[in-house]
Structures are given as structure tokens and as C-alpha cells.
Amino acid sequence: MSGFLSNDDRVECKVVVNEEQQYSIWPKEQVCPLGWKEEGFKGVRSDCVAYIDKVWVDMRPRSIRTE
């Protein structure tokens, strides 16, 4: 099976982030889901996942970290 949810590196993706500073990836050509915005990084799926692994060091939602 190939496509966005597989490990197929032919699929171009973008990194998205929500108000709680939680990260995800989304197909590059699709509009961000409601409540999410483009973070700025784009590339193949594995590059986006590696980028998120590097920048998302505290996986707790922002609201919990600031209490």
C-alpha cells in the first residue's frame, strides 16, 4: 500500500502544529485541518517525521507546561 499513511517517501508532506504546540504531518497539497497551521517545514514523510522528532522535545500540551 502506498500513500500518505504509509511509509512511502514519494508522498510530499508538510509539518503542521496546533495551539497546544502539538505536531503532525499532513499531505502537502491539502488544506490544513481545522485548528492546525503550517509550521513551515515541508518534505517527504520521513524527513517531516525526523524534523518533528528534533523539535518536539516536550510532548505535553502547551496548556499543561505553562500551569
Side-chain angles (χ1 to χ4, degrees):
M1 179 175 146
S2 66
F4 172 67
L5 295 178
S6 72
N7 289 327
D8 186 351
D9 265 352
R10 295 171 292 177
V11 179
E12 290 287 321
C13 300
K14 59 187 170 187
V15 174
V16 296
V17 64
N18 65 18
E19 290 181 0
E20 289 288 342
Q21 295 178 343
Q22 297 167 310
Y23 288 80
S24 187
I25 60 173
W26 200 250
K28 182 178 148 186
E29 301 303 323
Q30 290 190 10
V31 175
C32 288
L34 187 62
W36 295 79
K37 64 180 182 178
E38 289 189 33
E39 193 275 340
F41 189 88
K42 296 178 183 171
V44 295
R45 186 180 191 284
S46 62
D47 290 344
C48 288
V49 170
Y51 175 79
I52 290 171
D53 284 344
K54 185 173 70 173
V55 299
W56 194 11
V57 294
D58 188 343
M59 300 203 55
R60 295 176 299 158
R62 182 179 61 110
S63 59
I64 293 174
R65 292 192 313 257
T66 58
E67 289 182 350

